[in-house]
Amino acid sequence: MKQLTLSVLFSLIFSLGLSAQNIVKGVVKDSNSEGLLQGVSVSVEGKNIKVTTDVIGSFIIENLPDGRHIIVIKKDGYETQNYPVTLSGNIVDLGIVYMYEDEFAEDQDLSTIIITDDELNDDTTASDNISGLLQASRDVYLRTAAFEFSSSFFRVRGLDSDNAKLLINGIEMNKLSTGRPEWANWGGLNDVLRNQEFTNGLAPSNFTFGGVLGSNNISTRASEYRQGGRVSYASSNRSYVHRVMGTYATGLMDDGWAFAFSGSRRIADEGFADGSSYNAYSTFASIEKVFNDKHSLNFTSVFAANRRGKAAPNTQEVIDIKGIQYNPYWGYQNGKIRNSRIKDVEEPFIMLNHYWNINEKTSLTTNVAYQFGGIGNSRIDFNGARVEDGIVDGDGNPFITNLATANPDPTYYQKLPSYGIREGLPGVYGMYQEFVNNGQLDWNQLYAANAASVTGGNSAYVLYEDRNEDDRYTINTIFNTELTDNISLNASVNYTSQKSENFAEIVDLLGGTGYLDVDTFADTFEEKQNNLLNPLHLAGEGDRFKYDFDLLSQVINGFVQTQFKFNKVDFFLAGSLSRTSHQREGNFQNGGFVNTSFGKSEKQEFTNWGAKGGLTYKITGRHILDFNAGYLTKAPTLRNTFANSRENNAIVKGIESEKVLTLDASYILRTPIIQARATAYYTGIKDAIETSFFFADGIGGDNTAFVQETLQGIEKRHIGAELGLEVKVTPTIKLKGAANIGQYTYDNNPNLFIASEDFVGDPDADEFGVKDFGKSNLKNYRIASGPQKAYSFGFEYRDPDYWWFGATANVFNDTYIDIAPLTRSSNFADDGGVPFPDYDESIARELLRQERFNDYMVVNAVGGKSWRVGSGQYIGLFASIGNIFNREYRTGGFEQGRNANYRQLRDDKALETPVFGNKYWYGRGTTYFINLNYRF
């Protein structure tokens, strides 16, 4: 009896102790499947208290103070649940909490984003679509940048996307060649790319050290996909016209298996730009086996094939005559549109991921990935030639005849009225009429020219691809552990090995029987040979010609990070270390670089490191200050390591790792009515490298040459402020606004090097044909990074009856032309080593003034409606209209480097219509996107 009395007394005391703690608990389930939901966020409004549900969907919050509280239960893709509770030394059991799918989020998420399509300038710039990196964020400003600013090729903080890391299951997907992700590798798989963890800027990530713009990890674990299927049809006039997509996931089944599959097809004869064909299909499979609570193995396979016709930048002369949708790359062949510039991407990848929950607080993930395939960019080559039988040159070598083919580009400068006016030619109006009435690529003429030249068995014109085919292997392991309730540790080690084959391949002889692989512009027989190992090679379809080399790279890197979280202050520290090597191996012996083109180059090795840290101070649960700082070095990309990789082993002179210093400070406000963030930022970059290729007139006087231009030792400064604001005016109406006020400038005068086969033998050039042009006076010029100032104002109405509508007005300022560094060098005022006697400083200053584009405003609207048609079955309709008022605006452009000196640039700009005026990219006019989907 005594023991029983003590037991009852002890139980009563223990029960009172629990009651005094004020406890709220519950279990969270999906309303459709009634499956338990893990990882749901459960917090207390206005307090720094947050937990997540465990593997059985349960949660418990302890030690709450007495009084009334709002328990907030949130998970992406579900409607947020708010539960008021009153505590006074008691336990509140919410029981089963059902989460309802957020139909609005399902319709809007990813629908307006075409994450592979909006590259600006073929493959030579970094102005790719930012939205793929930002769409996962709930931050008001970042979502505005993704959905509203990206159509104007706005760059967050003026930085290229190589400053952000894109990962799939912890494997970095950024290309070693450019440092940027290739969105086409997984385009069209929107349904299975929703499970993402985005970190903005220097914020800590559990997977990677990240970049200045942050990181985004996409998870494709089959067990994380919601059970059920989805089919959809979309139509648009942007890049594709039709898209069909289907997805099905089993969820985690009783036997521990989970499967997820998805596929899509996108197609268009023309997008917004004339002749910009689109043909893409994508497949996805994810299979996971959960062995027990500790071990799981997931296999992912992705194959996305994408063929799209490119659109060209044009001078204002061409745009005035033909309009902003005009595209000179295509013409009719047998009554069908045929584009000569096709980008073809087929780079499938497979992954195997092992997840090991060592204990409740520690996990280790090991990943292995293999990616292969290639990218091809087609164009027409018109360097046709043939060998004259029985005829030799002065050295006794076979005589090579240039077939004297004309440039087939309908916008070639000698075909335009401006050239006729400049040269005083008769029939300028006829040139104008010819361009107005025709003005497209004449495929029939190319075939006719080849038919006329096949007496020697050779084509005058061919269609070929510049191809790079990569084999890339990656293995890494990611470690996460909670050292204490307040301290966590993240670490990772990664190894990547890649072989990249780069070559030109003939796609179509255009009716001919072969194409002589020579450079007809070279002087001697030897110099004319693109490959002395196979001289006078008559290339056929599928053959490699012009150039053939491999790029070999290895990267090993690791990072470690510690995060500290307390009631009033959170902070983190992270460091990274990497070793990168690049090497070129030439497979052709170029006749212009006999001793420097074949075989392996000197291996370039770079050791890099990074350090970053951040502090978050919670003034209250609603008012937060956030500070971050970082310094990191980046190895040059493959593209920026070699000065003239197609022809020789030359390394960029003075090559160094890029150095980046970045800082930001934010004030964050979170209330039930207002969500806001204001951020000031600074990023300084040193020792950057940029490369480009173009024809230049006036090199060292009146010489003309095709050149490879390298800027080395570039310094840049990016400063500005970001603001995002969302106000819930009523339960159904939100007002939202965002702004970026930036200034992005060159901060020094970098070194300029020009490489050309024409320079071989020049006493001022080295053995690789690289010539030092000294400093390029770029300091204080603006960086061409899209609009440097952008503002957005809008509203959103969400009706309780599951329909919604929103509109935004977006204003863009301070967009600048991309300047030509060569015209800012000593070559500009130099007439073959002697200053121009008629050089006028004031005229030169005006000639070199950077063009600033007009400000503009774009108005967009979106809306949608959802219907529940059965148990767990929904139909959703989403629609958007971009640029409602069909505003014409320039999104970017570049100065042509043709006029490389003062006299030529002065004379050209003095014309009413310059022959070599700036080339521009224009934004799309009015566009639409509509998506109808059925979920079950």
Side-chain angles (χ1 to χ4, degrees):
M1 180 62 70
K2 183 177 180 181
Q3 289 179 340
L4 179 61
T5 302
L6 289 173
S7 178
V8 170
L9 183 61
F10 178 79
S11 297
L12 180 60
I13 293 171
F14 180 73
S15 176
L16 290 173
L18 283 179
S19 299
Q21 292 181 23
N22 283 335
I23 294 175
V24 177
K25 63 181 183 177
V27 176
V28 181
K29 289 186 175 182
D30 183 285
S31 64
N32 292 324
S33 66
E34 296 199 358
L36 298 166
L37 291 179
Q38 181 182 359
V40 179
S41 170
V42 184
S43 60
V44 182
E45 187 177 275
K47 298 191 178 299
N48 185 32
I49 299 174
K50 180 180 178 181
V51 299
T52 55
T53 57
D54 57 22
V55 292
I56 59 172
S58 66
F59 69 88
I60 183 168
I61 301 177
E62 301 177 296
N63 300 322
L64 284 170
D66 288 347
R68 189 175 184 277
H69 304 281
I70 302 295
I71 307 301
V72 181
I73 304 175
K74 298 176 63 175
K75 184 173 176 64
D76 286 349
Y78 291 87
E79 297 176 1
T80 299
Q81 304 292 327
N82 296 307
Y83 285 84
V85 298
T86 301
L87 299 173
S88 181
N90 60 319
I91 298 175
V92 174
D93 188 350
L94 298 179
I96 296 176
V97 177
Y98 286 104
M99 299 292 285
Y100 298 90
E101 294 176 0
D102 185 348
E103 293 302 304
F104 296 137
E106 186 76 19
D107 284 340
Q108 188 175 18
D109 188 24
L110 288 173
S111 293
T112 63
I113 292 174
I114 307 169
I115 59 178
T116 70
D117 303 333
D118 284 332
E119 293 168 313
L120 178 58
N121 185 14
D122 291 352
D123 311 291
T124 59
T125 79
S127 300
D128 40 23
N129 194 325
I130 60 167
S131 54
L133 279 176
L134 302 180
Q135 54 80 26
S137 173
R138 297 293 178 183
D139 180 90
V140 178
Y141 172 79
L142 292 176
R143 287 187 67 82
T144 301
F147 285 92
E148 305 294 344
F149 295 164
S150 61
S151 62
S152 289
F153 300 100
F154 171 84
R155 299 186 203 175
V156 173
R157 302 186 183 180
L159 297 169
D160 298 342
S161 59
D162 64 342
N163 288 286
K165 300 298 182 184
L166 191 287
L167 298 88
I168 297 180
N169 297 332
I171 295 285
E172 185 177 323
M173 302 301 293
N174 295 54
K175 304 285 285 185
L176 294 181
S177 56
T178 63
R180 307 193 296 270
E182 178 59 63
W183 302 110
N185 288 162
W186 49 86
L189 297 172
N190 304 27
D191 285 350
V192 290
L193 301 178
R194 301 180 186 278
N195 298 328
Q196 305 190 18
E197 181 176 314
F198 176 79
T199 59
N200 181 33
L202 295 176
S205 165
N206 294 336
F207 305 93
T208 179
F209 182 82
V212 175
L213 290 179
S215 65
N216 193 10
N217 181 65
I218 301 173
S219 173
T220 63
R221 291 186 67 174
S223 64
E224 293 182 349
Y225 292 109
R226 194 180 308 161
Q227 180 183 357
R230 175 186 172 107
V231 293
S232 65
Y233 168 77
S235 180
S236 173
N237 67 339
R238 296 172 183 172
S239 295
Y240 54 75
V241 175
H242 306 286
R243 184 192 73 186
V244 291
M245 186 184 304
T247 302
Y248 183 76
T250 64
L252 184 60
M253 298 184 290
D254 293 340
D255 59 0
W257 286 95
F259 301 87
F261 304 97
S262 186
S264 75
R265 183 81 165 88
R266 292 164 291 158
I267 194 167
D269 289 332
E270 290 182 295
F272 181 81
D274 294 339
S276 56
S277 58
Y278 201 99
N279 186 4
Y281 61 90
S282 308
T283 61
F284 168 91
S286 179
I287 303 170
E288 184 174 5
K289 172 62 176 177
V290 179
F291 296 98
N292 49 47
D293 291 341
K294 291 185 177 294
H295 294 280
S296 174
L297 198 62
N298 193 93
F299 171 80
T300 299
S301 171
V302 174
F303 177 61
N306 187 301
R307 283 178 58 86
R308 62 180 182 84
K310 297 179 184 179
N314 290 307
T315 63
Q316 193 59 48
E317 175 187 13
V318 172
I319 293 166
D320 288 341
I321 297 173
K322 301 289 282 188
I324 66 172
Q325 291 179 254
Y326 169 71
N327 179 16
Y329 289 160
W330 69 276
Y332 285 106
Q333 183 179 354
N334 298 324
K336 294 183 179 179
I337 291 173
R338 185 180 184 185
N339 194 317
S340 64
R341 299 287 188 100
I342 298 290
K343 181 173 183 179
D344 184 7
V345 181
E346 291 187 16
E347 295 186 300
F349 58 88
I350 56 176
M351 293 182 176
L352 189 64
N353 314 99
H354 175 248
Y355 301 92
W356 180 16
N357 295 320
I358 299 173
N359 55 47
E360 291 182 355
K361 295 186 176 182
T362 304
S363 66
L364 183 70
T365 304
T366 302
N367 309 299
V368 180
Y370 172 55
Q371 184 172 21
F372 55 99
I375 299 175
N377 289 278
S378 69
R379 63 177 59 219
I380 292 171
D381 193 70
F382 48 96
N383 196 24
R386 66 170 176 250
V387 176
E388 298 294 345
D389 292 337
I391 303 177
V392 297
D393 63 16
D395 297 319
N397 297 306
F399 187 81
I400 299 171
T401 298
N402 185 347
L403 295 177
T405 50
N407 191 327
D409 182 356
T411 60
Y412 181 56
Y413 76 97
Q414 293 184 10
K415 299 178 182 180
L416 296 176
S418 59
Y419 176 77
I421 294 172
R422 188 186 78 175
E423 300 298 317
L425 300 178
V428 172
Y429 183 72
M431 298 174 69
Y432 171 82
Q433 286 297 112
E434 172 65 18
F435 187 59
V436 169
N437 296 328
N438 297 313
Q440 297 301 147
L441 187 64
D442 191 339
W443 289 100
N444 292 331
Q445 186 182 40
L446 304 186
Y447 279 86
N450 285 348
S453 65
V454 293
T455 54
N458 299 3
S459 293
Y461 298 90
V462 293
L463 184 71
Y464 80 99
E465 280 188 328
D466 292 307
R467 292 197 60 82
N468 60 282
E469 297 185 351
D470 296 346
D471 274 334
R472 174 168 166 168
Y473 301 86
T474 304
I475 181 169
N476 73 2
T477 186
I478 303 170
F479 178 76
N480 292 292
T481 187
E482 295 180 18
L483 300 176
T484 70
D485 290 341
N486 306 104
I487 304 173
S488 62
L489 177 71
N490 320 108
S492 164
V493 176
N494 181 91
Y495 172 76
T496 299
S497 176
Q498 176 177 290
K499 177 182 179 180
S500 178
E501 298 181 35
N502 298 262
F503 55 92
E505 179 180 283
I506 293 180
V507 175
D508 191 340
L509 289 169
L510 303 179
T513 58
Y515 194 66
L516 192 63
D517 187 16
V518 295
D519 177 5
T520 57
F521 293 101
D523 294 326
T524 68
F525 176 83
E526 181 179 78
E527 291 172 349
K528 289 179 186 290
Q529 307 307 310
N530 288 323
N531 183 15
L532 283 170
L533 303 178
N534 188 11
L536 299 179
H537 174 220
L538 192 63
E541 292 177 3
D543 287 350
R544 299 185 182 189
F545 79 122
K546 291 176 76 75
Y547 64 92
D548 183 1
F549 63 94
D550 299 332
L551 295 176
L552 312 173
S553 297
Q554 290 185 321
V555 181
I556 183 168
N557 58 51
F559 94 102
V560 62
Q561 174 178 269
T562 307
Q563 300 182 61
F564 303 84
K565 296 185 178 181
F566 301 97
N567 287 336
K568 296 289 287 185
V569 176
D570 296 342
F571 64 95
F572 76 94
L573 296 170
S576 68
L577 185 65
S578 66
R579 181 73 170 173
T580 301
S581 68
H582 298 318
Q583 188 172 30
R584 179 190 185 273
E585 183 173 11
N587 300 316
F588 279 9
Q589 186 177 32
N590 186 282
F593 302 96
V594 177
N595 300 317
T596 58
S597 56
F598 184 71
K600 291 186 177 180
S601 71
E602 181 182 349
K603 183 181 288 188
Q604 299 300 298
E605 296 183 311
F606 308 91
T607 299
N608 300 99
W609 62 278
K612 67 177 183 178
L615 182 146
T616 302
Y617 177 69
K618 302 160 221 177
I619 303 171
T620 68
R622 296 180 176 180
H623 301 272
I624 300 169
L625 298 177
D626 186 66
F627 307 92
N628 298 283
Y631 181 85
L632 57 99
T633 66
K634 296 166 57 180
T637 63
L638 279 169
R639 175 185 174 87
N640 291 331
T641 298
F642 301 96
N644 185 9
S645 59
R646 291 187 178 183
E647 295 185 327
N648 57 49
N649 289 329
I651 307 299
V652 168
K653 291 184 180 296
I655 191 169
E656 293 185 54
S657 292
E658 187 175 305
K659 288 88 174 172
V660 183
L661 172 66
T662 185
L663 313 162
D664 65 58
S666 300
Y667 165 70
I668 301 168
L669 174 63
R670 296 172 180 166
T671 75
I673 294 177
I674 300 175
Q675 301 282 318
R677 174 173 67 86
T679 299
Y681 59 85
Y682 165 83
T683 299
I685 300 173
K686 292 186 176 182
D687 292 320
I689 298 171
E690 293 179 0
T691 58
S692 58
F693 306 83
F694 58 92
F695 260 104
D697 288 336
I699 295 282
D702 293 325
N703 299 320
T704 300
F706 182 77
V707 302
Q708 298 78 43
E709 178 185 79
T710 300
L711 278 176
Q712 182 271 336
I714 304 170
E715 296 183 9
K716 303 177 183 179
R717 182 178 61 188
H718 300 247
I719 58 174
E722 301 167 341
L723 174 66
L725 175 67
E726 186 176 85
V727 181
K728 194 170 185 178
V729 180
T730 72
T732 58
I733 298 176
K734 284 182 183 177
L735 299 180
K736 52 187 180 179
N740 177 79
I741 303 172
Q743 181 173 300
Y744 319 130
T745 57
Y746 290 100
D747 208 30
N748 75 327
N749 298 320
N751 304 310
L752 176 66
F753 300 96
I754 301 291
S756 175
E757 189 172 341
D758 289 20
F759 293 161
V760 176
D762 188 317
D764 294 327
D766 66 12
E767 60 179 331
F768 298 102
V770 179
K771 194 172 181 179
D772 187 349
F773 279 74
K775 299 291 185 181
S776 180
N777 298 305
L778 302 186
K779 187 171 183 178
N780 296 325
Y781 276 100
R782 296 295 186 101
I783 297 169
S785 58
Q788 300 198 2
K789 295 183 176 66
Y791 311 89
S792 180
F793 313 91
F795 75 92
E796 186 178 284
Y797 173 78
R798 293 181 177 267
D799 193 271
D801 197 25
Y802 294 101
W803 64 270
W804 64 281
F805 172 77
T808 56
N810 306 284
V811 178
F812 300 95
N813 307 143
D814 287 0
T815 307
Y816 291 86
I817 199 83
D818 195 3
I819 57 176
L822 183 56
T823 58
R824 275 82 182 172
S825 71
S826 59
N827 184 80
F828 185 67
D830 190 323
D831 184 14
V834 179
F836 287 110
D838 54 350
Y839 187 86
D840 187 301
E841 188 72 37
S842 60
I843 294 176
R845 190 178 301 110
E846 181 61 24
L847 291 173
L848 299 179
R849 181 173 56 84
Q850 188 175 19
E851 181 183 1
R852 177 184 180 274
F853 300 157
N854 293 332
D855 301 338
Y856 59 95
M857 182 175 72
V858 176
V859 178
N860 305 322
V862 295
K865 169 69 174 157
S866 296
W867 298 268
R868 184 166 184 168
V869 295
S871 177
Q873 300 179 59
Y874 299 87
I875 293 176
L877 177 67
F878 172 88
S880 69
I881 301 176
N883 194 4
I884 292 174
F885 299 111
N886 199 29
R887 178 68 186 270
E888 285 192 6
Y889 56 92
R890 294 171 179 169
T891 60
F894 56 93
E895 296 176 351
Q896 294 197 66
R898 261 331 257 249
N899 296 313
N901 65 40
Y902 167 79
R903 187 173 289 164
Q904 290 186 340
L905 185 61
R906 179 200 62 191
D907 293 347
D908 194 39
K909 285 198 172 185
L911 300 172
E912 183 177 350
T913 303
V915 175
F916 295 110
N918 297 337
K919 288 199 170 185
Y920 302 107
W921 301 95
Y922 273 73
R924 297 181 176 123
T926 300
T927 61
Y928 74 89
F929 180 93
I930 186 167
N931 182 46
L932 181 67
N933 65 79
Y934 167 64
R935 290 193 299 115
F936 55 93

